[in-house]
Amino acid sequence: MSRQMTFDLGGKVALVTGGGTGLGYHMARSLMRCGAAVVISARRQTVLDDAIDQLSAENLPGCVTASTVDLSDRSSLAALVEKVSASFGGVDIFAGNAGQDLMEHVDRITDRAFDQMMQVNLSANVELVRAFVPHMRQKRWGRILFSSSAAALCASPHEGSSIYSASKNAINTFARTIATELGHDGITVNSLSLGMFLTDIVRDAFTRLDREQGAGAGDAARDSFASMTALGRLGELPEIEGLIQLLASDAGGYITGSTLAVDGGLSIMLRPNPVTQDVGQ
Ligand SMILES: NC(=O)c1ccc[n+]([C@@H]2O[C@H](COP(=O)([O-])OP(=O)(O)OC[C@H]3O[C@@H](n4cnc5c(N)ncnc54)[C@H](OP(=O)(O)O)[C@@H]3O)[C@@H](O)[C@H]2O)c1
């Protein structure tokens, strides 16, 4: 008789970085729906507390706890690993979702901003994988997911995202490469090429556009992103949940090394070069 593959995550422990807000919150929620014990982490304790209150109020099959971390600080990262390992023995599902986009033009970005973005978007994920893979290997089962970006695959129409895009491209390559190293141990690794979802990181970018280019620039950017998708709209946060359940469970057990586009068709569209368009060429 053929084996029935399920979405059940009962008995699994998941860590979702950036799990108190935006896409990470919905990742945590979707994993809890399947019965996982989820740890959400981020810098702001109050945001994590609010997320726990809201998630707990839904009476989902899984449970949630929180652990603060600053991913740009190696000692804070080590403390997170220690705390999660002491509480749960390790992590079966790691969603490296937290990210930063400091939106600075390439010739103005400071060394500090560069280091911070690469540390949060890339190095912290590498360090957390290194910390949690031994436990996954031992269990011969593991799931690793990264929140990457459509900006890793095609140039963003808005200036200031070169380092962000580079860090996201690096995480895609990292995911593909470790998928080959870890596959024999039953560990799958995938990255999500995310399009535009209206979350804090995106609202901040639009607010900054308003400040730098005048009121309305943020709204114009939002509309222009919507018009660049096949679906003609931005993504809604719950639209991430089904894919997370698939990739994190046995149901998605044969999906590995992929960069999956969750972008409303943004990446399949042809569009004009924003720079030549702006200068009227
Ligand atoms: N929304 C989109 O359209 C979109 C598109 C492409 C890719 N993405 C990616 O999706 C991921 C989630 O972003 P989001 O859109 O959901 O935005 P968000 O709500 O702003 O999430 C970013 C999360 O990362 C956490 N974070 C940032 N810096 C951190 C640090 N140094 N240490 C620990 N946690 C940190 C933030 O929490 P604290 O501030 O409390 O630390 C926050 O929870 C990011 O990797 C982003 O690049 C999003």
Side-chain angles (χ1 to χ4, degrees):
M1 199 163 64
S2 70
R3 199 148 59 102
Q4 177 73 41
M5 293 302 179
T6 76
F7 292 88
D8 181 22
L9 295 176
K12 305 288 190 207
V13 175
L15 170 65
V16 182
T17 63
T21 60
L23 291 158
Y25 175 90
H26 284 269
M27 289 177 184
R29 184 176 185 236
S30 65
L31 296 169
M32 288 173 68
R33 270 188 204 285
C34 295
V38 181
V39 181
I40 54 175
S41 71
R43 288 166 300 183
R44 290 167 296 170
Q45 180 75 57
T46 50
V47 170
L48 292 174
D49 289 345
D50 288 349
I52 289 200
D53 286 348
Q54 286 170 42
L55 288 166
S56 304
E58 290 198 56
N59 289 318
L60 300 168
C63 59
V64 62
T65 55
S67 188
T68 52
V69 68
D70 182 350
L71 296 172
S72 67
D73 173 351
R74 285 200 160 82
S75 59
S76 176
L77 201 55
L80 171 69
V81 171
E82 207 174 298
K83 187 171 169 192
V84 172
S85 301
S87 304
F88 298 99
V91 158
D92 306 297
I93 301 162
F94 168 53
N97 163 73
Q100 289 186 353
D101 184 357
L102 300 176
M103 291 286 286
E104 196 55 272
H105 200 273
V106 65
D107 55 2
R108 288 195 291 270
I109 195 152
T110 62
D111 291 348
R112 190 169 177 276
F114 173 82
D115 288 346
Q116 180 165 353
M117 214 167 353
M118 294 307 276
Q119 171 64 25
V120 174
N121 294 358
L122 178 63
S123 308
N125 284 317
V126 175
E127 286 170 39
L128 290 172
V129 164
R130 291 170 63 202
F132 293 122
V133 153
H135 172 84
M136 295 180 189
R137 270 196 212 279
Q138 203 182 3
K139 288 193 156 182
R140 301 201 62 76
W141 194 98
R143 296 288 184 266
I144 299 172
L145 312 170
F146 298 113
S147 290
S148 183
S149 169
L153 304 176
C154 45
S156 168
H158 297 288
E159 292 181 10
S161 62
S162 58
I163 307 305
Y164 174 81
S165 303
S167 70
K168 295 297 189 182
N169 210 327
I171 206 71
N172 289 347
T173 311
F174 176 65
R176 267 198 295 279
T177 310
I178 62 169
T180 65
E181 292 179 13
L182 303 176
H184 289 281
D185 290 308
I187 302 168
T188 67
V189 189
N190 293 286
S191 57
L192 308 178
S193 177
L194 297 161
M196 190 60 83
F197 292 79
L198 203 53
T199 58
D200 292 349
I201 199 171
V202 172
R203 275 193 207 93
D204 288 350
F206 290 160
T207 305
R208 185 164 173 174
L209 280 176
D210 275 343
R211 204 169 52 239
E212 290 176 352
Q213 297 174 17
D219 283 351
R222 186 195 57 211
D223 293 346
S224 110
F225 268 113
S227 73
M228 287 189 291
T229 66
L231 296 180
R233 63 174 176 84
L234 304 191
E236 292 177 22
L237 295 178
E239 289 178 314
I240 199 70
E241 294 191 5
L243 182 60
I244 297 303
Q245 291 174 343
L246 176 67
L247 294 177
S249 65
D250 286 335
Y254 204 54
I255 307 172
T256 195
S258 294
T259 301
L260 294 111
V262 191
D263 66 358
L266 177 72
S267 51
I268 58 166
M269 305 285 280
L270 285 173
R271 66 183 72 91
N273 178 335
V275 176
T276 53
Q277 190 184 33
D278 280 356
V279 297
Q281 290 174 339

